Amino acid sequence: MRTTRRRFLENMTWMAAFAARNAHGRYPGGVSGKLLDTSALARFVDPLPIPASAKPSGLRPSPVDPKLQIPYYRMAIRQFQTTVHRDVPSTTFWGYDSSCPGPTIGARSGNPLLVEWVNELPHQHIFPIDHTLHGAEADKPEVRTVVHVHGGRTGPESDGYPEDWFVPGQSATSYYPNGQEAAALFYHDHAMGITRLNAVAGLMGLYVIRDEFEDGLNLPKGAYEIPLVIFDRSFQPDGQIHYPVSGKTGAPWVSEYYGSAILVNGKIFPYLEVEPRKYRLRLLNGSNGSFYQLSFSTDPSVTSTGLAFHQVGSEQGFLAAPAQMNLLILGPGERADVILDFSRQSGKEIYLRTNVAVIMQFRVSAKKAADSSTLPAMLRPVPRIQESTAVITRELTIADYQNRLGRSNVMLLNGAHWNMPVTERPMLNSTEIWSFINLTDDSHPIHLHLVRFQLLDRRPFDLAVYQLTKKIVLTGPAVELPAGDLGWKDTVRVDPMTITRIIVKFEGFAGKYVWHCHMLEHEDNEMMRPYIITESCPGRVA
Ligand code: C2O
Ligand code: CU
């Protein structure tokens, strides 16, 4: 009894914390008076855009095996104008192939491809740069980009290391081997010290890997598989994206970004006409800092219980079996693969909502629809990695620190700044447990490049005792994990005053990668660390 209640309370406190935050749009730097009141916009007047499919512009020799010709994509990164809503003046965005979300790159597992990312951006940024942040000093060019395929098992030279940025007029070609299971990955900017600004400007797109196993599942496909890229933005009355500043001269960085409007595939309050049948929805939370509690309902208000749907996949692929649920929590960088059945909703309107707002509408046609797709009872087995196979457990803190200038917090992983010596040096093909000790009162979505991992548990601990003695005293049993957290992940929510343990096999490549918080304001202000996968001895740094 007691433990159930405590568990419930913990969940509630945590949910209430971010519900309140999202509801009021806490702008750490204070907000300038005049912003577009996006809640007053007409609802469901714009159709949901579906991102285009990226088309290769030819074949090129593989850098690994020059006898092999592989698809070559050229993706120009440009500034462009678009409309986020029928009644909002056009907005300047940055996007891959002049779109946000960018074109979806479709890959087959095991079939490599090349992308030449071409920086055709202007020389001036559309948001103020904070030159006090590491990597964004005044001697660095204002506009820089480097592209990372989030969740990709990519060699270090093509992974989009934050310092490998290139400027307008330059390009970089990346080789993606796609040696991994079917999953919805996403590509986005990763330039040191300005990722948050490049992302708010629009630099993201989906990268979907498919394989034979998926082909055999007979899930809804084609027009019945819909990507939903969700992110929030605020706008000025002239339609331009609003990004707040701290108010400190020369140091405009703010610690979080929460927009007043939640966009789906780049539109505010879009609608989608659907047939009364099953659909597969590929959801991505592409926000800088917002967590969403998503549900579907015939009721646009946010108090009723949502309709049942099935989650079939997490960040890195299929769950072992479909999990029925009516609420899905997605943090920045997290994805979910969901089957929603409209067959009993013929002629109705269904709403996608967060806990505080309605964000889009599905208009279910009254006509009968054929549906030969299935929701299989079992999906892909997810063999649990045994804790006993881990060669080391690393305890890694997540914390805010005030600096001497009294500036906003600097946020560190294990007390270390970006440019301090590399401390996490797992050996190639070894398994490790990383135990994240969250000393803050925020949830942080923690992402490791290259690898997929499993969440072991989330356990509450006594923060006060830890701060005094550096000893971990658990205050309750592990929190029950939602089904989506039992699949393969690459980004995990680390809740406040909680120890979150993941188990990771470092396979694929040796070399230098990064791990970081996917709240992009945090990432840009030191909450990111390099890590090195070593081929020889597991180097431990004292
Ligand atoms: Cu989604 Cu290091 O990134
Ligand atoms: Cu964070």
Side-chain angles (χ1 to χ4, degrees), residues 462-473:
D462 193 318
L463 181 56
V465 170
Y466 182 85
Q467 276 160 344
L468 287 171
T469 66
K470 296 277 173 288
K471 281 208 182 68
I472 292 164
V473 176

Side-chain angles (χ1 to χ4, degrees), residues 517-530:
C517 177
H518 221 285
M519 289 175 89
L520 304 181
E521 283 65 28
H522 298 185
E523 172 183 336
D524 273 349
N525 195 1
E526 302 284 347
M527 203 170 242
M528 175 163 73
R529 287 281 292 155

Side-chain angles (χ1 to χ4, degrees), residues 148 150 186 188 190 447 449 514 516 518:
H148 168 59
H150 179 130
F186 74 118
H188 61 76
H190 221 301
H447 170 48
H449 284 208
V514 299
H516 60 90
H518 221 285

Side-chain angles (χ1 to χ4, degrees), residues 236-291:
Q236 295 163 12
D238 64 358
Q240 299 312 316
I241 299 169
H242 173 77
Y243 189 88
V245 291
S246 66
K248 278 178 216 133
T249 331
W253 177 82
V254 295
S255 59
E256 279 97 22
Y257 178 72
Y258 302 113
S260 70
I262 302 172
L263 291 76
V264 188
N265 296 351
K267 290 281 182 195
I268 305 174
F269 298 134
Y271 70 87
L272 178 70
E273 287 174 351
V274 295
E275 297 169 24
R277 51 158 291 152
K278 288 190 286 302
Y279 277 75
R280 182 177 182 192
L281 307 175
R282 312 296 298 266
L283 295 112
L284 159 67
N285 180 351
S287 299
N288 276 34
S290 289
F291 290 75

Side-chain angles (χ1 to χ4, degrees), residues 247-456:
K248 278 178 216 133
T249 331
W253 177 82
V254 295
S255 59
E256 279 97 22
Y257 178 72
Y258 302 113
S260 70
I262 302 172
L263 291 76
V264 188
N265 296 351
K267 290 281 182 195
I268 305 174
F269 298 134
Y271 70 87
L272 178 70
E273 287 174 351
V274 295
E275 297 169 24
R277 51 158 291 152
K278 288 190 286 302
Y279 277 75
R280 182 177 182 192
L281 307 175
R282 312 296 298 266
L283 295 112
L284 159 67
N285 180 351
S287 299
N288 276 34
S290 289
F291 290 75
Y292 300 117
Q293 297 179 54
L294 300 167
S295 61
F296 301 94
S297 177
T298 51
D299 178 358
S301 80
V302 292
T303 47
S304 61
T305 309
L307 298 170
F309 59 89
H310 288 87
Q311 185 174 354
V312 295
S314 51
E315 287 78 28
Q316 284 285 315
F318 292 109
L319 304 181
Q324 187 178 317
M325 54 186 72
N326 49 30
L327 184 72
L328 176 72
I329 295 170
L330 280 189
E334 287 188 309
R335 285 94 69 204
D337 192 350
V338 157
I339 305 290
L340 179 59
D341 190 352
F342 295 106
S343 63
R344 282 193 277 163
Q345 314 297 342
S346 196
K348 289 193 200 146
E349 282 146 11
I350 305 294
Y351 300 91
L352 172 59
R353 316 170 310 186
T354 68
N355 54 313
V356 289
V358 61
I359 60 181
M360 78 167 278
Q361 181 192 54
F362 297 91
R363 295 180 188 160
V364 190
S365 120
K367 281 195 239 127
K368 274 231 157 17
D371 186 358
S372 58
S373 71
T374 44
L375 177 63
M378 299 308 286
L379 298 161
R380 185 168 349 226
V382 180
R384 303 305 300 174
I385 309 175
Q386 293 309 307
E387 282 186 42
S388 58
T389 62
V391 295
I392 184 177
T393 294
R394 298 179 193 270
E395 294 192 331
L396 302 159
T397 59
I398 294 175
D400 297 347
Y401 301 82
Q402 298 282 342
N403 79 9
R404 268 183 247 118
L405 301 170
R407 142 190 203 96
S408 302
N409 309 325
V410 65
M411 300 182 171
L412 302 182
L413 298 170
N414 218 26
H417 288 255
W418 166 258
N419 59 0
M420 286 165 68
V422 176
T423 37
E424 289 73 59
R425 305 171 74 94
M427 195 158 77
L428 185 63
N429 294 321
S430 72
T431 299
E432 300 195 352
I433 293 173
W434 286 22
S435 182
F436 303 116
I437 306 169
N438 189 343
L439 308 178
T440 76
D441 52 13
D442 276 322
S443 286
H444 301 264
I446 299 293
H447 170 48
L448 277 67
H449 284 208
L450 179 73
V451 289
R452 61 178 190 176
F453 55 74
Q454 292 176 356
L455 175 49
L456 288 173

Side-chain angles (χ1 to χ4, degrees), residues 135-194:
E137 295 81 4
D139 63 343
K140 304 281 187 313
E142 184 155 321
V143 174
R144 303 173 274 122
T145 189
V146 58
V147 186
H148 168 59
V149 173
H150 179 130
R153 189 181 285 187
T154 307
E157 61 297 324
S158 289
D159 190 55
Y161 196 71
E163 291 172 346
D164 291 347
W165 44 262
F166 47 98
V167 297
Q170 295 181 330
S171 74
T173 301
S174 295
Y175 171 73
Y176 301 108
N178 302 314
Q180 60 194 105
E181 294 176 355
L185 318 180
F186 74 118
Y187 59 94
H188 61 76
D189 178 82
H190 221 301
M192 195 75 204
I194 53 169

Side-chain angles (χ1 to χ4, degrees), residues 119-136:
N119 188 342
E120 294 183 4
L121 291 167
H123 289 269
Q124 259 210 321
H125 212 290
I126 54 177
F127 301 117
I129 293 183
D130 189 326
H131 296 297
T132 69
L133 296 185
H134 183 84

